[in-house]
């Protein structure tokens, strides 16, 4: 028996790997599937492996009491030390921040249970997320919204005059909704609406996750003023 010896010359990032002749496909039914820290339950669907690309069809699973229904996702392993991931589908009560942390090891500054639809493309290089590779679109409604950590999101809100608990650096809202586009690591907001029991805020603009820059236009209204006056008085 002759065992192939591993190459002593490491492959360069992005080097194209030779195509494979093997094609595998089948159905998947599992009570639990683990990928790094990501844990999915009641996984069902079809998959196909061809030329180092894994594609999914009719994939559904539950994640942290939320549900995901796939609409054509794939994972690409054709380049050395690079994994390209593309998710597209519908979701209900999904923990978006947990997904970003467990799949991409990126600590996103917004938490909550998100419902909606959209897609997200990303690239992992040696297991780390390349922020410039983030592209996507989402139509979202989020419940129990939290801006967490002393990061870009909380710095934005603190600059706008919101009172932040400096012990835990978080700010809570009852719900939010928005349509957003992600292009090369920049999030473009059409109309982000945040609402709590006594305040409603709207903003649009962009947030650059790569350069940590932003340009946002914000209007915040006290809901007591909305109920009292014909025209609400803007706080900002």
């Amino acid at each position: 028996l002759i065992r192939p010896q591993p190459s002593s010359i490491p492959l360069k990032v992005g080097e194209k790997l030779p195509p494979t002749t093997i094609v595998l496909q089948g159905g998947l039914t599992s009570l639990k599937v683990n990928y790094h820290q990501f844990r999915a339950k009641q996984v069902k669907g079809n998959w196909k492996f061809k030329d180092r690309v894994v594609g999914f069809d009719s994939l559904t699973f539950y994640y942290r009491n939320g549900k995901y229904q796939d609409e054509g996702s794939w994972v690409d392993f054709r380049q050395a030390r690079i994994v390209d991931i593309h998710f597209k589908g519908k979701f209900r009560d999904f923990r978006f921040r947990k997904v970003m942390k467990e799949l991409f090891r990126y600590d996103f500054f917004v938490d909550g249970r998100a419902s909606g639809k959209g897609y997200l493309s990303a690239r992992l290089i040696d297991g780390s997320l390349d922020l410039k590779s983030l592209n996507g679109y989402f139509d979202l409604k989020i419940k129990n919204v939290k801006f967490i950590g002393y990061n870009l999101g909380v710095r934005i809100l603190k600059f706008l005059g919101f009172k932040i608990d400096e012990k835990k650096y978080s700010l809570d809202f009852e719900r939010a909704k928005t349509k957003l586009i992600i292009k090369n690591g920049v999030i473009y907001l059409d109309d982000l609406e945040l609402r709590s029991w006594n305040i409603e805020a709207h903003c649009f603009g962009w947030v650059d996750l790569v350069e940590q820059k932003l340009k946002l236009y914000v209007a915040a209204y006290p809901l007591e003023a909305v109920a009292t006056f014909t025209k609400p008085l803007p706080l900002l």
Side-chain angles (χ1 to χ4, degrees), residues 44-91:
K44 296 181 180 179
N46 300 314
W47 60 273
K48 183 176 182 179
F49 175 83
K50 183 179 180 181
D51 192 18
R52 300 185 186 273
V53 178
V54 181
F56 298 97
D57 179 47
S58 304
L59 179 68
T60 61
F61 62 83
Y62 289 86
Y63 170 74
R64 295 184 178 272
N65 298 321
K67 184 178 181 181
Y68 175 80
Q69 181 176 345
D70 190 78
E71 294 183 342
S73 299
W74 45 262
V75 183
D76 188 337
F77 300 95
R78 289 178 293 181
Q79 300 181 72
R81 299 165 58 186
I82 288 178
V83 179
D84 287 320
I85 301 175
H86 180 84
F87 289 107
K88 181 181 179 182
K90 300 177 181 178
F91 42 90

Side-chain angles (χ1 to χ4, degrees), residues 137-156:
Y137 167 82
F138 289 99
D139 187 348
L140 295 173
K141 293 182 179 179
I142 311 174
K143 298 183 295 185
N144 302 323
V145 187
K146 290 180 178 289
F147 290 83
I148 298 175
Y150 194 67
N151 46 43
L152 183 60
V154 168
R155 292 202 302 269
I156 295 170

